[in-house]
Amino acid sequence: MGVLMSRRQTVEKVQKVSLAVSAFKDGLREQPSTRQRAEVGGTRRGTLEQEVQEGEEEASAGPSQPEESSASKAAWERLRDGRGVEPEEFDRANRFTPPAFIRPKRELHDDEPPDISLEQREQVLNDEMCEICEVWTAESLFPCRVCSRVYHDGCLRRMGYLQNDSAVEVTETAHTETGWSCYYCDNLNLLLTEEEMYSLMETLQHCKIIPETCLTRDDFLHYKHLVHKQQFERPMAEAQEEQAALQFSALDPDKKGHIEWHDFLSHESIQLLQKLRPQNALLRLLTAKERERARAAFLALDQDSDGFIGEGECRHARHSWFRKHRKETPSCNVSISHVGPMSESSPDSSGSSKSQKTPAATKQEEARPVDWPGFLRENVAYILAARPNSAALHLQPSA
């Protein structure tokens, strides 16, 4: 019996050795030859030499490279975490600590059409206590025009969200028809999930965009060219470049020659939302206040109360209603709390030569009826883009 067991063990050992030898031979066949490995190594050495040379050039071009890299790393971390730009030498001794922000997650039912009725109005109520200190002090609370949160101006100051002129602006606009967006709603980047945020960061890094810096017109157009070529593998057409130039002008309403980082980030965030999410998912981002304002807009246009408006009226709303107010100009005809006047750069404005259409084209536009669900779907991105307090137009409507 002992002899039989030892023979069996010997056979099993031989089989294991045979399997190991076969696996080793298969691995040798799959590996590249020595010459091929040398060629690959040479290629990698060339790439590393180029990287070292580029690093030396960057070091000679600017002072204190370690400081710049650490500052850039901190900026990317703030961008990833949705914290925005933190003031230099921010003294936290006598300030509240901003709450940790958790990016939203996509749900399974997000792509299904939401039930937003035109007839059933929603009762919009603001919170009773300050979002920060959770204390109720009635009239001294400043409501957000997008969500239901309310704040004390002192709490906003202690968190660093109100500084200098911004405090006066909040005081003047929070209780007016124009309204004021809180620090959650003012930042469109906070609507992105972690996956969407990483996608945006990869694009910015690929195009060598430095976070928390201003972009000139040339920088913006160069970025748009790179993104278009990366996505479609072909150069941007002339008409698309003109549209990008119009978008830059809309992001620079004061004609400073550059756009601020937070305006650029909000623009890119709303563009990414349009690209990655269906309209039904975008509709679920609307708050009760925004839905009520959209109802008021549609009902004001539906003069005969048949549940339909013309496409020209829908496009007019896109160009003029879902925008910020201009303090020096009168508001538009329809009274909606976040509605703004038409800007000079708008294709519908009288100064734009491209807005002139033939009577037949205008009549055809007016002929296509738009119902309430269609009105919401076609305007949802512009409603979301109107959230920031900045005067910049973060989503330029096409002509």
Side-chain angles (χ1 to χ4, degrees), residues 17-138:
V17 172
S18 301
L19 290 173
V21 171
S22 300
F24 180 74
K25 289 181 179 180
D26 293 339
L28 288 178
R29 292 194 196 100
E30 294 177 357
Q31 289 181 354
S33 64
T34 306
R35 183 177 179 181
Q36 288 176 340
R37 289 199 299 270
E39 291 176 356
V40 172
T43 305
R44 291 188 63 185
R45 283 196 297 272
T47 305
L48 292 173
E49 289 172 359
Q50 291 176 1
E51 291 178 356
V52 171
Q53 185 177 0
E54 291 174 358
E56 292 175 351
E57 292 176 354
E58 291 177 358
S60 61
S64 63
Q65 184 183 1
E67 295 180 2
E68 291 180 357
S69 61
S70 64
S72 178
K73 182 180 179 181
W76 283 113
E77 289 178 353
R78 286 194 292 271
L79 177 61
R80 179 198 62 202
D81 298 338
R83 287 179 290 168
V85 181
E86 293 189 2
E88 296 180 359
E89 300 178 0
F90 193 64
D91 182 16
R92 297 282 183 187
N94 297 318
R95 299 181 186 271
F96 291 130
T97 302
F101 179 78
I102 301 176
R103 290 193 173 273
K105 295 182 179 180
R106 295 292 306 278
E107 302 294 339
L108 294 176
H109 65 280
D110 280 355
D111 296 346
E112 299 175 3
D115 184 16
I116 305 177
S117 173
L118 177 62
E119 294 77 16
Q120 186 176 357
R121 308 297 294 267
E122 299 179 61
Q123 187 177 9
V124 179
L125 297 175
N126 290 322
D127 296 342
E128 295 183 352
M129 296 186 296
C130 174
E131 176 72 14
I132 300 172
C133 68
E134 298 184 350
V135 173
W136 176 80
T137 50

Side-chain angles (χ1 to χ4, degrees), residues 144-215:
C144 174
R145 65 183 174 91
V146 177
C147 65
S148 62
R149 301 183 184 96
V150 292
Y151 301 86
H152 292 119
D153 60 339
C155 293
L156 292 172
R157 289 176 188 272
R158 292 183 65 183
M159 290 187 66
Y161 292 117
L162 286 189
Q163 296 177 357
N164 304 328
D165 297 338
S166 60
V168 179
E169 182 179 356
V170 170
T171 305
E172 291 180 349
T173 61
H175 292 287
T176 64
E177 189 179 8
T178 302
W180 163 81
S181 294
C182 69
Y183 54 87
Y184 284 110
C185 302
D186 179 64
N187 188 357
L188 296 180
N189 184 252
L190 299 185
L191 296 175
L192 302 183
T193 63
E194 288 187 5
E195 294 80 8
E196 293 166 343
M197 188 62 236
Y198 277 114
S199 174
L200 178 58
M201 289 177 63
E202 286 181 358
T203 302
L204 296 178
Q205 289 175 337
H206 174 76
C207 298
K208 302 187 185 305
I209 296 295
I210 302 175
E212 302 181 5
T213 58
C214 300
L215 277 77

Side-chain angles (χ1 to χ4, degrees), residues 381-399:
Y382 301 97
I383 300 175
L384 295 173
R387 287 184 176 185
N389 294 310
S390 168
L393 186 62
H394 297 96
L395 190 61
Q396 171 73 20
S398 57

